Amino acid sequence: MKSLVVIAALSIVSCNTDDGIQCPDALTGDLSATETEFSGSYKLVAMEADEAIDLTEDNTDNPMTDVFAQYTACDRDLVYKFMSNRNLEYLQGYSAVDCTNKLTFPGTWNLIGNDLTLVANCSSQRIMIEKSAEGDKFSYDAILHFRDVNGASKTIKVKFTFDKTVNVQPV
């Protein structure tokens, strides 16, 4: 499940530089006024699917659209840190208690309008985000492939929502 959250949240595919593939250059330059306002730490607070699915192995048939509720606390503990120097830090499993598979990686970012670009892990990703009027939330949609508790494969659209929060430091 943890790798699903990582893949889903970022949709970033690693590449192997040994095969001659060129990694994208890091994003550089001063932040725009919009980017400065957007910068900060954002914590994942919701994953809402457009169709119900049962991902929990609790011996009860209970499909729901709230994918976030079906994940463990460690898997839900995901933070993007958009820094004012254009660096990006992705953290998973650092705030929840007793997470053994902590994950962090660096990258760079930019935001033009609602087009958020992330460069990390030898890849670049552009996602269209929706920002709240107050500037304290953003969300985006992703099409994901799930395998439910019965082994059935489903392709479902999921809306990821992040709240701006205090800085989270890796431990």
Side-chain angles (χ1 to χ4, degrees):
M1 285 245 187
K2 181 172 287 228
S3 62
L4 177 61
V5 170
V6 173
I7 291 167
L10 296 176
S11 300
I12 293 177
V13 179
S14 294
C15 60
N16 182 343
T17 57
D18 294 338
D19 60 9
I21 294 174
Q22 293 292 322
C23 294
D25 292 332
L27 299 168
T28 60
D30 293 335
L31 298 186
S32 68
T34 302
E35 289 172 315
T36 299
E37 184 179 310
F38 180 78
S39 66
S41 296
Y42 291 83
K43 183 171 181 57
L44 179 66
V45 294
M47 293 172 61
E48 190 70 28
D50 66 351
E51 115 181 36
I53 187 167
D54 187 357
L55 301 173
T56 59
E57 295 183 23
D58 58 3
N59 297 319
T60 304
D61 186 21
N62 55 351
M64 63 176 78
T65 59
D66 186 353
V67 176
F68 189 76
Q70 298 182 65
Y71 278 52
T72 67
C74 292
D75 291 335
R76 291 188 306 252
D77 182 20
L78 188 148
V79 173
Y80 283 112
K81 291 175 67 177
F82 300 100
M83 295 177 247
S84 60
N85 61 0
R86 199 165 296 286
N87 286 334
L88 163 73
E89 189 171 32
Y90 169 93
L91 302 165
Q92 185 171 17
Y94 283 92
S95 297
V97 178
D98 297 328
C99 297
T100 57
N101 293 322
K102 295 177 184 198
L103 177 64
T104 185
F105 66 82
T108 57
W109 69 282
N110 77 6
L111 179 65
I112 300 172
N114 288 333
D115 186 4
L116 178 62
T117 302
L118 309 174
V119 173
N121 278 352
C122 193
S123 64
S124 178
Q125 179 206 11
R126 290 177 52 188
I127 54 177
M128 291 304 293
I129 63 171
E130 297 173 35
K131 297 180 281 186
S132 67
E134 299 80 16
D136 61 347
K137 294 179 188 281
F138 79 89
S139 62
Y140 64 89
D141 294 332
I143 304 295
L144 303 178
H145 303 285
F146 290 96
R147 186 163 307 278
D148 71 12
V149 294
N150 299 316
S153 180
K154 291 186 174 187
T155 300
I156 300 173
K157 183 167 98 174
V158 177
K159 179 177 284 296
F160 290 83
T161 302
F162 292 82
D163 280 356
K164 199 167 195 176
T165 184
V166 296
N167 283 338
V168 177
Q169 299 297 324
V171 180

